[in-house]
Amino acid sequence: MALKIVKGSIDRMFDKNLQDLVRGIRNHKEDEAKYISTCIDEIKQELKQDNIAVKANAVCKLTYLQMLGYDVSWAAFNIVEVMSSSKFTYKRIGYLAASQCFHENTDVIMLTTNQIRKDLSSPNQYDTGVALTGLSCFVTPDLARDLANDIMTLMSHTKPYIRKKAVLIMYKVFLKYPESLRPAFPRLKEKLEDPDPGVQSAAVNVICELARRNPKNYLSLAPLFFKLMTSSTNNWVLIKIIKLFGALTPLEPRLGKKLIEPLTNLIHSTSAMSLLYECVNTVIAVLISLSSGMPNHSASIQLCVQKLRILIEDSDQNLKYLGLLAMSKILKTHPKSVQSHKDLILQCLDDKDESIRLRALDLLYGMVSKKNLMEIVKKLMIHVDKAEGTTYRDELLTKIIDICSQSNYQYITNFEWYISILVELTRLEGTRHGHLIASQMLDVAIRVKAIRAFAVAQMATLLDNAHLLTGNMQRNGICEVLYASAWICGEFSEHLENPMQTLEAMLRPKVATLPGHIQAVYVQNAAKLFATILKNQEGNTDSTTAQETSQLMIDRLPLFVQSANLEVQERASCILQLVKYIQKLQQKDVEIAEEVSALFAGELNPVAPKAQKKVPVPEGLDLDAWINEPPSESESEDEQPKAIFTKEEPKHSRPRHTEVDEKELARRREARKQEQANNPFYIKASPSSQKVYQDAPGVEHIPVVQIDLSVPLKVPGLPMSDQYVKLEEERRQKERAEKKKKEKKKRKEKRSGRGRKHDSGPESEEDITPVHVVDIVTEEMPENALPSDDDDKDPNDPHKALDIDLDNLVETTARRPLADSEKLPVRSHRAAGAPKSSAEDGEVENATSQEPKKKSSKEKREKKKDKDRERKKSKEEKKKKKHKHEEKEEDLLGGQGEEPVIQSEETKEVAAQPTSTSAEVSDLDFWLSNAPVPSNTQEAATVAAAAEAAPVPEVSSGIAADSEPDEPKDTEMEESKSSKHKKKKQKKEKEEKEKKKKKKHHHHHHHSDGGGEESVQNGTVEEEEPLPPMSNYCLLAENSYIKMMMEDADQVCDIQGNLQDGSQVVVSVIFENKCDSFLKSMEFNVLDSLNSKLQRPEGSGPHDGLTVPFQLPPGVSNEARFVFTVQSIVMPQKLKGTLTFIVKNEDSSTHEKLDFKLHFTCTSYLITTPCYSDAFAKLLESGDLKSSSVRLEGVNMPFHHLLARICFHHHFSVVERIDSCASMYSRSIQGHHVCLLVKTSGQTVSIDAKCDEPTLLGNVLDEIKQTFSQC
Amino acid sequence: MIKAILIFNNHGKPRLSKFYEHYNEDTEQQIIRETFHLVSKRDENVCNFLEGGMLIGGSDYKLIYRHYATLYFVFCVDSSESELGILDLIQVFVETLDKCFENVCELDLIFHVDKVHNILAEMVMGGMVLETNMNEIITQVDAQNKMEKSEFFPFFSLSLYRRLSFSLPGRTGRHRPVLQERPLVPYQL
């Protein structure tokens, strides 16, 4: 053996280690992939060896290869093997590998639970540390649930090294298992004041992370954090806390007020830039939250802006960047303070660092006003010309458009200038944003009526010079602009000066090279132009122009008829035929202009982008149903041009408005306006502009300054926007001069006649009137459109599930104490419940967290009936169960057997609730009130401390001594199953109740207790009825001295999962001393049968008894557990046994004995095992199962009680329940599947069952029958 | 939260990758490549933040990096982390490496990626900052290494001797000490 080890070690020396692998890869640069594949083959060989060192070495190499992008998930099992090595070196390698490549879907993860648990409780802190680190990377919901309690224990570890890791990992546990948050929170909170700074920092970290997602639940911690902030000197912690306050302050403006002073102090005193920056950030957040009605904070704003300016001016680019970032936050609420630093920001636009330029651009967006828009855009245009990368230039382009179009073109005073800017932007090479420019052009031309003539002229120029845009294939992004140009020229052709020229431009052969959807627009709008020309020529005696136009159309259109694009082809051929017909009529001198232009009559109204979405679907209309048969594949092959503009829609389904329609429209508009006026949510409209539009039918009497153009606009070189800047200056000067002359009254008139009203912006802006009326048409919305947008919250956000009410937990008990079901599961060696989706749980949590109000009224009543308090509480419990029941009925039923509800002193301590009645809310209010800070803080802290100190670990008499001397306690703990915990819990509840009543000898009522309540409930058969208490304890034997209660036999299988041999059954027996004497030296003995044997300590004979590990003072009961090995489980067993004990009085002691019979039912060999419905279905389909059935008559209980009983007494779990039919599943300790289909009708219940072991099944069914015959 | 920590050299070769959220291997490689692409084209004297929304996370995430000699250290973090704090954390990380490897250079990282992981594990755990005090980190790392050594057969520590060969002089290229040029003023102090 020793030789083998040595030999192994020597062999190992010749294996490649990580360094050799790396070197090898570096030496095989040419055929790296090949080399690595041979290495992987070697690794596979190494993994097959027994030597753990070789395996660890192989795994170490795999971790490296994983980094290079090789999938190593195939070695997951070997990684687990290495993780479980007893040597730290290998363990660490294993955990590292696991943390790099395990994830939620790695199936071997479920094998690691016990290994991790073992490592977590290792005496070596580094074993624990390594396990925690690894776990933090691959924790799954199952692991989180199974290990939550272990990790929580570690939060109080003696070593700070472990504590900080345990605290930190709790965040991951919460994410995966949200139910753990409430029970773990008090301890987490306690760690905020841990003496070790690392632990404290970790706790702050976790709570900040939690609070960031659901800040409102953590408001009550504000006093504590405030104290930390004023006392801590650790900048890391301070930054986190200050960031947290930034998230809390929007919820509680009073908190903000309190924060300003200490934050300002920090800003002044700290030398750490990071801290300074975060302070400024939080002050900004505070100011934003206070922004309304708090004018006296201008000093703070000034301070922030000042400090930020220092950051921005710093030579350190990082500080510059962050300064700009923070500045943009101030901008939203205090634009004026930022605007004074425009110089600095414009300077940043020239920075060589793109990130900084982009930040500065963001700032510009908020800095524009009517006054400076032109200037700023001019500057940006220069940058556009200078910009090197297309990305940055595109960014500039979009920013220019954003800046100009923001809040409904609020800052544009001169739309001619804007159109010119847009036209100038079309000269950009290789931009991706042609469509953006195009949609702006369309939008402006449609919505600003006054600009149409100018826009049409510009667009005509663009069309004329289309070759400039399309000349280069690379630039075809920009040719989208032609789409807009063609449409505008066609639609508003009445403004065209020379429609003939434009028409010709639109019918050039070159057009055929444009994308299909643009050609289609060309063709359609050529027809519109044609109509206009005809109309213009009407009344003209000379009809040659009209005829020439027709001829031009007939000559050019055939080119489009041949187009490969269907849309183009169709339109062209249609229009061609039409024109041919018109030509015929023209030749006969028929007046046709009227009819032709009727084709395109009517005004288009812009439609709001979301209008379509907001049209409510009429009742009875199924949009998903096919109207006709679905089209065949081939039809859809030819892809239609994608509609890129929302405006395209109305063009196709163009409404032919008649006079009546106009009236109707006006009426509707009026009604809508009325509605909007009454609707506080409606802010978008610019009512004044619309008013002007409607009240004043013309634009004539608005002063329009004649534009004196020094440069002709129609020069093919495209317009220059710059001149507008100059013009605008002149205009404004002129205006000012005029104004001075005029009376104030007149000015008022003028102002009311202006297009829009401004709520914000510097006062001087008020004086700037737009050059001409900006008739911004409000976009149409459907009649009953919803005013607000849909919530965009991501339903899959894992943090949603963590929106858990923690306040009551922290400070008060009465409102929502921890329910039993919320306690953390302790060691159970297998998945005890079907994992529910965390979102679902979140909902349940949310639902229940709304309860406090209801309960507070209940509270009062409770005070009156102090006696009944205890009972009431348990009722509340039930009520909550009921609540959950409503949420998800099956949850409860499944939960009966599945939910890992447990009790241990550990959780008990945490879960036990303080009885403080002080409401947390009023505490916070008090703290936030203006009383001096420190005393308040302290008070709040002491209240909190008192509240936390209150919980006293309850003495759990039932399981206090469940250790069996010869039975390793660990295994027993690990092996005990969840349903068992439930039973114990219920038993204990009863015991508590009994204690309160000061009646100690009530154990024998267990059964009758349940029975009694049951019968009452049976009288009122309701679905939502709470379940009657159930107990599996039954009387084993009793005499005048002692009573033995046996739990129905509780079983567990071997922890190694080896079901074939080593099946074990654990029997819990409660011994209760009924006499006035002391009972001691109890010995428990059972006569073994061939099949079942009591496990005795090694070395003792087969007939020796087991010593019960406790003594019983008078009136006390205690529980002991005994382990039996069972060979066959298909038949029920009966074992005879004896208990011997000594009764000790003050003067004498006597030997007594008590005989009993242990009855092992077949159900006691079943383990509650959750099963998914699909797995269940597969199981049934497999055909390996024998079936049997049983009928129960006269069962007088609600169906869910019935199911709960089967779950509880017979260890089944509900797979699926539909109405009065349910499928259930359980598994024996030897792996037999037992499936039930339970149906009920009236008082008859029929159970069809399937199992791979018919004898077992028969017995189980008999036992079920027995259960129900008893009740 | 820190979403990922990447170290790669001037040519984009990964030297360490630690993702605190699961991605498959191909995506990981793609992220490394794209991050390298973004980071490498930036000048030396520009800010160390990059909005890398398109890679991992969303607009809430930032890339924060530092460039030392031949290596880029990149942290992908969300808005709950202080930008300047993370820059300091990178500095702490590099200084710790420097202490543990005695004048750390790229080769140390190449051949001892496992050790780098172990050091990192003492600083960042599951995406959250665990420890920022360099002395504490070094103490814990040393204690674990000591434990490791005590478990070994004497002749198995050969690899430790082999390492010495890289720390020989000739400190250019991948031998170039990572922490040579810039004495950094921490933001956090």
Side-chain angles (χ1 to χ4, degrees), chain A residues 734-744:
Chain A
K734 215 159 135 194
E735 225 164 54
R736 253 174 266 147
E738 267 174 43
K739 243 175 246 164
K740 272 177 194 165
K741 285 181 218 159
K742 285 178 184 172
E743 290 292 324
K744 267 189 181 174

Side-chain angles (χ1 to χ4, degrees), chain A residues 260-430:
Chain A
I260 288 258
E261 199 200 317
L263 285 178
T264 318
N265 290 343
L266 268 177
I267 290 176
H268 282 303
S269 64
T270 185
S271 59
M273 278 304 189
S274 50
L275 185 59
L276 171 93
Y277 173 68
E278 296 305 339
C279 287
V280 169
N281 252 333
T282 299
V283 171
I284 293 169
V286 168
L287 292 176
I288 290 172
S289 73
L290 294 177
S291 59
S292 53
M294 291 298 291
N296 53 345
H297 282 298
S298 58
S300 307
I301 301 166
Q302 279 316 309
L303 177 68
C304 288
V305 176
Q306 248 170 41
K307 288 284 173 185
L308 289 180
R309 187 172 176 114
I310 293 171
L311 290 186
I312 296 171
E313 281 172 336
D314 200 291
S315 61
D316 186 335
Q317 299 282 321
N318 293 326
L319 298 181
K320 202 185 274 278
Y321 174 88
L322 294 175
L324 289 169
L325 197 65
M327 204 66 121
S328 63
K329 285 178 198 157
I330 301 188
L331 188 72
K332 280 174 202 140
T333 45
H334 301 87
K336 266 189 246 171
S337 325
V338 182
Q339 270 160 11
S340 54
H341 299 280
K342 202 178 76 186
D343 57 317
L344 190 63
I345 286 147
L346 286 176
Q347 207 180 306
C348 289
L349 277 184
D350 295 320
D351 201 284
K352 58 189 178 308
D353 187 348
E354 195 176 296
S355 312
I356 289 185
R357 290 198 304 257
L358 289 175
R359 285 275 138 246
L361 270 181
D362 279 350
L363 270 175
L364 274 184
Y365 179 83
M367 295 186 74
V368 291
S369 62
K370 289 196 166 180
K371 225 166 144 192
N372 63 15
L373 176 73
M374 283 182 164
E375 184 195 339
I376 287 177
V377 172
K378 183 181 165 191
K379 190 142 186 171
L380 291 180
M381 291 299 284
I382 296 170
H383 280 283
V384 170
D385 285 338
K386 280 198 298 191
E388 279 161 13
T390 32
T391 340
Y392 178 59
R393 209 177 41 194
D394 279 357
E395 189 63 33
L396 273 170
L397 189 152
T398 46
K399 271 281 138 48
I400 291 175
I401 289 179
D402 277 357
I403 288 173
C404 293
S405 63
Q406 66 175 308
S407 31
N408 237 351
Y409 306 102
Q410 187 184 344
Y411 300 113
I412 296 185
T413 48
N414 187 332
F415 275 90
E416 290 185 9
W417 164 81
Y418 186 46
I419 293 275
S420 312
I421 288 285
L422 289 176
V423 172
E424 265 177 62
L425 285 175
T426 62
R427 288 184 299 174
L428 276 189
E429 275 187 47

